[in-house]
Amino acid sequence: KTSQRQVMTVQGSVEPDKLGLTLTHEHVLVDFIGADKVDRNRYDADEVFRVALPHVQRAKELGCRTLVECTPAYLGRDPALLRRLAEASGLHILTNTGYYGAGKGKYLPAHAHSESADQLAVRWLREWKDGIEGSSVRPGFIKIGVDAGKLSEVNRKLVQAAARTHLQSGLTIAAHTGDGTAAMEELKVLRDEGVHGSALIWVHAQSETDTALHARVAEQGAWVEFDGIGPQTVERHVELVKAMKSNGHLARVLLSHDAGWYHVGEPGG
């Protein structure tokens, strides 16, 4: 332990003021085949490295210094690949622990349904303390996913497990969140677990049309992430950011592209 705050990257811990311009939600590789079929043998890591590296290098040329890679376990998380890309590009890259419950559970391993929140937290904390899959790469945040609307039983359990992991590790929780209703429920679960709202990033907040909910979530200290920025969405994103500025919550806004990745199963990714 150190006396000052640290951010855990795939190459080790760094001081927060070394992160520079940070893209808070991106992906290098994703495999949507489902938790029961996902396997590293479905792709050639050397090919993915060759395909992805120019894009990562271009991001750095344009001023990016840190990339938060949000692909969770059972959706194609590959810490060894990310470390290779970080070493080759000079970018800080973060990976994660946690499970993705959105998509009606397609990307959840079977044990996520049967185990308790405490048992899941033990798994995630083991990665934080000992490294992912026997490697020295440790997660820099927790990634979960929940569908829109009221939380299902398994999604509620994922939020509880994330809260308990946060309390032991200090890791921030980035939650793919279907809508504002789900975001408000996540915050309530966190409160019940004794976790402050500032531990939560509401991922994909731009998909919620009621901007009052953005403000309500920010008022509880949570981060409101408008990702999916692209040529067709810039004007809407500007309006979302202006709305947050006008209500005094600009300091709780995060921005990113979530713009694309190597698609496992497609020729050349």
Side-chain angles (χ1 to χ4, degrees):
K1 292 184 176 180
T2 60
S3 59
Q4 60 186 145
R5 295 184 179 186
Q6 298 284 303
V7 175
M8 185 59 65
T9 77
V10 296
Q11 294 177 284
S13 62
V14 300
E15 296 176 13
D17 62 4
K18 299 288 196 292
L19 295 182
L21 192 152
T22 299
L23 292 175
T24 57
H25 192 105
E26 304 299 334
H27 299 273
V28 166
L29 172 149
V30 184
D31 189 351
F32 289 108
I33 196 168
D36 57 339
K37 297 183 180 68
V38 71
D39 192 301
R40 295 233 175 90
N41 292 322
R42 284 176 36 78
Y43 61 88
D44 178 344
D46 290 335
E47 178 187 82
V48 180
F49 176 81
R50 289 193 299 271
V51 171
L53 181 60
H55 297 284
V56 175
Q57 289 173 323
R58 180 63 176 147
K60 188 179 182 193
E61 289 171 5
L62 291 169
C64 178
R65 291 296 174 264
T66 300
L67 185 147
V68 182
E69 214 281 352
C70 291
T71 305
Y74 300 96
L75 253 168
R77 180 187 65 171
D78 189 334
L81 171 67
L82 298 182
R83 182 158 58 185
R84 284 180 67 187
L85 288 167
E87 291 170 349
S89 66
L91 268 185
H92 297 302
I93 298 179
L94 280 65
T95 189
N96 61 81
T97 192
Y99 293 160
Y100 185 90
K104 306 299 183 184
K106 178 180 179 180
Y107 308 107
L108 286 176
H111 65 255
H113 295 280
S114 60
E115 291 187 356
S116 68
D118 280 337
Q119 288 173 312
L120 294 176
V122 167
R123 287 179 179 271
W124 302 348
L125 284 164
R126 188 179 302 126
E127 292 193 330
W128 164 243
K129 294 172 182 174
D130 301 332
I132 299 171
E133 300 168 3
S135 75
S136 61
V137 176
R138 294 169 60 196
F141 65 106
I142 303 161
K143 173 68 184 292
I144 60 173
V146 304
D147 288 311
K150 291 189 174 297
L151 296 178
S152 67
E153 182 180 349
V154 68
N155 283 346
R156 181 174 299 275
K157 182 169 62 175
L158 293 178
V159 180
Q160 292 169 333
R164 295 170 196 181
T165 302
H166 165 80
L167 288 171
Q168 294 292 317
S169 66
L171 295 177
T172 298
I173 304 162
H176 167 115
T177 303
D179 63 3
T181 298
M184 297 302 293
E185 288 222 345
E186 287 174 318
L187 280 168
K188 183 181 185 307
V189 173
L190 294 183
R191 283 198 307 274
D192 291 345
E193 293 284 329
V195 174
H196 190 266
S198 59
L200 179 71
I201 300 172
W202 174 6
V203 175
H204 310 322
Q206 76 279 359
S207 45
E208 173 55 63
T209 57
D210 184 355
T211 56
L213 286 174
H214 298 149
R216 286 177 62 191
V217 167
E219 284 164 5
Q220 296 187 50
W223 299 92
V224 179
E225 180 181 287
F226 300 130
D227 47 63
I229 299 175
Q232 307 306 315
T233 69
V234 169
E235 289 186 14
R236 168 163 163 74
H237 277 80
V238 169
E239 292 305 314
L240 289 169
V241 172
K242 286 168 67 177
M244 291 294 277
K245 181 180 180 181
S246 68
N247 61 36
H249 296 303
L250 184 61
R252 306 314 292 173
V253 171
L254 298 175
L255 298 169
S256 211
H257 299 287
D258 191 19
W261 43 82
Y262 186 100
H263 291 257
V264 176
E266 296 183 11

